[in-house]
């Protein structure tokens, strides 16, 4: 058994590599991707080895069943992407399932990994706010270099010592004023927003004690990404967190005020959306068209889709699936492939809450579902990790008649470095 400090190191290393894979400029370089993949596999194996006595043969049978089920999507993978599919669904997916199973009976459970994730995000958030304010906005700090980037198109982006990147500029008013969106270390602000929101959901729903300073920092950073998804996420999560934290009497009053809160929120969000329609980035109109196109393509091939991991291009025929995950999965892999994500992010958390009243797990996964729906992330390792996290919870409850030790999980979560 490895020492606790060594285990903690590899937990941080694993979570850091998962974050860096989430569409950052670093993965523009093939050597970085190779190193990152090696670290993910090696860290996972080390952590599994440290808990190897807890993985049962029943766990491996479940993993084997999922791998067999992945044969049909494998046959429908878009030409040239088979290697990527195998890496994600035949290497990382079973590896993460085994990893979470190895934690499932431990005192801290898989939630310790999520806490490490949030700790890293807090550091990255503070760095991004510093450079965004003093560099992008005030111009006190000068950028250090320009680096090549091919996220939206072949171009050069500004970086501040490799710790912060300027990737998106948004016109605040019709052609008269512009502002740099806080993209952090990511290729675009929506990706940064999703990572921030995942960290916020961990802080709100996983940690036993609310760490208000961390929450405030994350919320401020979400606003600086200027993301509509982020604003909706803040309203939904804080309302739910507030509702379940109140007494029965106050809950009733909150329900009575809900129509007013919804009206105010809808007006605010509508104003943001209306402004986005007129802005130069065209993100609102582009997202709407993409969703409609994904549905049309999916309905043409409802069972198995048009081709998994298909890359969109400038042609009208294949220009879809670039702004969201849920509808993109339906277009690429049809209902069969979509069921993996719907079951993991929607049906399982609802079922777990109805059966165990496990609000922490359910809200964590459902909040990820909200972010997943409107952000491209279906093939990212973080999403595969969350799918594994949800499926392992369900399998443990249904087939092994055991769930994560909720009380000990949440009691220890704030004690982790």
């Amino acid at each position: 058994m490895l020492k606790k400090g060594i285990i903690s190191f590899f937990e941080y290393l694993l979570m850091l590599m998962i974050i860096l894979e989430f569409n950052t400029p670093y993965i523009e370089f093939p050597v970085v991707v190779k190193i990152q993949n090696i670290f993910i596999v090696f860290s996972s194996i080390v952590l599994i080895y440290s808990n190897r006595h807890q993985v049962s043969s029943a766990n491996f049978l479940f993993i084997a069943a999922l791998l067999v089920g992945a044969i049909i999507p494998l046959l429908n993978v878009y030409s040239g992407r088979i290697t990527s599919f195998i890496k994600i669904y035949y290497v990382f997916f079973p590896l993460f399932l085994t990893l979470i199973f190895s934690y499932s009976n431990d005192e801290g459970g898989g939630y310790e990994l999520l806490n490490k994730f949030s700790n890293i995000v807090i550091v990255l958030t503070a760095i991004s706010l510093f450079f965004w304010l003093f560099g992008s906005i005030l111009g006190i700090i000068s950028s250090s270099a320009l680096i090549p980037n091919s996220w939206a198109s072949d171009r050069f982006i500004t970086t501040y010592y490799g710790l912060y990147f300027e990737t998106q500029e948004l016109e605040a008013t019709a052609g008269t004023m512009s502002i740099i969106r806080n993209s952090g270390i990511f290729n675009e602000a929506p990706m940064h927003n999703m990572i921030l929101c995942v960290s916020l959901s961990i802080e709100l729903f996983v940690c036993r004690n609310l760490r208000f300073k961390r929450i405030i920092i994350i919320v401020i950073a979400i606003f600086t990404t200027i993301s509509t998804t982020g604003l909706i996420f803040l309203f939904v999560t804080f309302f739910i967190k507030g509702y379940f934290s109140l007494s029965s009497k106050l809950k009733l009053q909150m329900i009575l005020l809900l129509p007013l809160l919804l009206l105010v929120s809808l007006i605010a969000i509508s104003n943001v959306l209306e402004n986005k329609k007129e802005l130069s980035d065209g993100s609102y109109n582009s997202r709407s068209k993409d969703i409609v196109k994904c549905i049309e393509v999916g309905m043409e091939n409802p069972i198995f889709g048009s081709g998994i991991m298909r890359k969109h291009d400038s042609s009208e025929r294949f220009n879809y699936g670039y702004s969201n995950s849920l509808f993109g999965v339906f277009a690429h892999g049809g209902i069969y492939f979509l069921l993996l994500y719907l079951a993991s992010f929607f049906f399982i958390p609802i079922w777990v809450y109805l059966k165990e009243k496990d609000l922490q797990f359910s809200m964590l996964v459902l909040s990820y579902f909200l972010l997943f729906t409107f952000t491209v992330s279906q093939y990212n390792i973080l999403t595969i990790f969350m799918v594994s996290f949800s499926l392992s919870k369900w399998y443990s409850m249904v087939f092994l008649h055991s769930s994560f030790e909720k009380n000990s999980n949440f009691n220890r979560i704030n004690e982790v470095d």
Side-chain angles (χ1 to χ4, degrees):
M1 187 68 67
L2 297 176
K3 294 182 179 180
K4 183 179 178 180
I6 298 177
I7 293 175
S8 180
F9 168 79
F10 281 107
E11 288 174 337
Y12 273 113
L13 181 61
L14 174 61
M15 291 295 103
L16 176 61
M17 293 300 106
I18 289 177
I19 291 172
L20 295 182
E21 188 274 341
F22 201 77
N23 301 319
T24 65
Y26 307 119
I27 61 175
E28 295 283 331
F29 306 98
V31 64
V32 175
V33 175
K34 292 180 181 179
I35 294 174
Q36 173 186 274
N37 291 336
I38 292 172
F39 279 160
I40 289 175
V41 172
F42 183 70
S43 298
S44 298
I45 292 175
V46 169
L47 294 173
I48 292 170
Y49 175 81
S50 68
N51 299 294
R52 65 189 185 280
H53 62 283
Q54 298 177 11
V55 183
S56 67
S57 57
N59 296 143
F60 288 119
L61 287 175
F62 175 63
I63 295 172
L66 290 174
L67 294 180
V68 171
I71 292 177
I72 294 178
L74 176 62
L75 299 176
N76 192 36
V77 174
Y78 182 64
S79 177
R81 303 302 303 278
I82 293 179
T83 301
S84 297
F85 182 90
I86 292 175
K87 180 183 74 172
I88 294 172
Y89 296 98
Y90 278 92
V91 177
F92 290 140
F93 189 23
L95 196 62
F96 289 154
L97 278 168
T98 306
L99 175 64
I100 301 300
F101 278 134
S102 75
Y103 274 84
S104 60
N105 296 317
D106 196 12
E107 186 179 358
Y111 292 100
E112 285 193 0
L113 292 169
L114 294 174
N115 189 64
K116 298 294 193 305
F117 176 93
S118 188
N119 288 345
I120 295 172
V121 172
I122 286 295
V123 175
L124 295 176
T125 302
I127 293 173
S128 73
L129 286 175
F130 175 81
F131 284 113
W132 178 80
L133 178 60
F134 295 104
S136 300
I137 302 302
L138 300 179
I140 297 175
I141 301 175
S142 300
S143 59
S144 60
L146 290 174
I147 63 170
N149 184 269
S150 60
W151 173 249
S153 60
D154 292 333
R155 57 177 179 161
F156 284 88
I157 60 174
T158 302
T159 180
Y160 290 76
Y161 309 100
L163 300 174
Y164 170 78
F165 302 94
E166 291 180 348
T167 62
Q168 287 182 303
E169 186 175 5
L170 188 68
E171 289 189 1
T173 57
T176 61
M177 180 180 175
S178 62
I179 185 172
I180 300 295
R181 301 174 69 177
N182 183 356
S183 299
I185 61 168
F186 302 91
N187 280 321
E188 64 175 12
M191 295 299 163
H192 188 201
N193 172 74
M194 184 165 178
I195 291 293
L196 292 169
C197 290
V198 171
S199 180
L200 180 61
S201 66
I202 293 172
E203 294 295 326
L204 291 176
F205 301 114
V206 172
C207 297
R208 180 173 59 90
N209 297 320
L210 294 179
R211 298 178 282 196
F212 290 104
K213 291 182 180 179
R214 296 166 67 115
I215 292 174
I216 291 172
I217 291 174
I218 296 173
V219 170
I220 292 174
I222 290 174
F223 276 106
T224 63
T225 64
I226 317 178
S227 168
T228 306
T229 302
L231 295 178
I232 296 174
F233 183 86
L234 288 177
F235 170 77
V236 172
T237 53
F238 276 111
F239 177 84
I240 294 175
K241 180 64 178 179
Y243 176 79
F244 284 99
S245 299
L246 297 175
S247 62
S248 298
K249 183 178 179 179
L250 292 176
K251 284 182 180 179
L252 177 60
Q253 295 176 354
M254 194 169 186
I255 291 176
L256 295 175
L257 289 173
L258 181 59
L260 178 60
L261 292 172
L262 285 174
L263 178 61
V264 173
S265 300
L266 287 174
I267 292 174
I269 292 172
S270 296
N271 288 333
V272 173
L273 293 177
E274 192 63 33
N275 288 333
K276 280 204 166 190
K277 288 182 182 180
E278 303 173 358
L279 296 179
S280 60
D281 69 343
S283 61
Y284 174 84
N285 294 323
S286 178
R287 186 186 298 272
S288 301
K289 291 179 181 178
D290 185 38
I291 291 175
V292 172
K293 182 66 175 179
C294 285
I295 294 175
E296 291 175 351
V297 173
M299 293 306 295
E300 293 174 0
N301 309 273
I303 305 300
F304 299 116
S306 64
I308 293 173
M309 303 191 79
R310 177 186 291 278
K311 283 190 174 182
H312 72 275
D313 56 38
S314 57
S315 66
E316 184 177 353
R317 183 180 178 186
F318 298 126
N319 190 24
Y320 59 87
Y322 55 83
S323 70
N324 67 90
S325 293
L326 186 66
F327 301 100
V329 168
F330 177 54
H332 289 171
I335 295 174
Y336 185 91
F337 195 49
L338 180 62
L339 281 176
L340 172 67
Y341 295 96
L342 278 180
S344 301
F345 295 150
F346 185 72
F347 295 118
I348 288 178
I350 291 178
W351 179 81
V352 168
Y353 180 73
L354 293 176
K355 187 174 179 64
E356 283 199 345
K357 302 299 179 183
D358 189 344
L359 180 67
Q360 288 87 348
F361 169 85
S362 299
M363 283 311 308
L364 173 67
V365 178
L366 284 173
S367 63
Y368 195 89
F369 177 64
L370 173 61
L371 299 166
F372 168 85
T373 299
F374 297 108
T375 310
V376 178
S377 59
Q378 64 266 43
Y379 304 125
N380 286 106
I381 299 177
L382 174 61
T383 296
I384 300 305
F385 179 87
M386 292 302 296
V387 167
S388 305
F389 184 77
S390 181
L391 287 176
S392 63
K393 170 75 169 181
W394 170 78
Y395 185 76
S396 295
M397 288 178 60
V398 175
F399 293 98
L400 302 182
H401 304 289
S402 65
S403 60
F404 297 126
E405 296 293 334
K406 292 185 290 182
N407 292 332
S408 60
N409 289 345
F410 301 128
N411 284 340
R412 270 198 66 189
I413 198 69
N414 291 314
E415 298 175 9
V416 181
D417 292 335

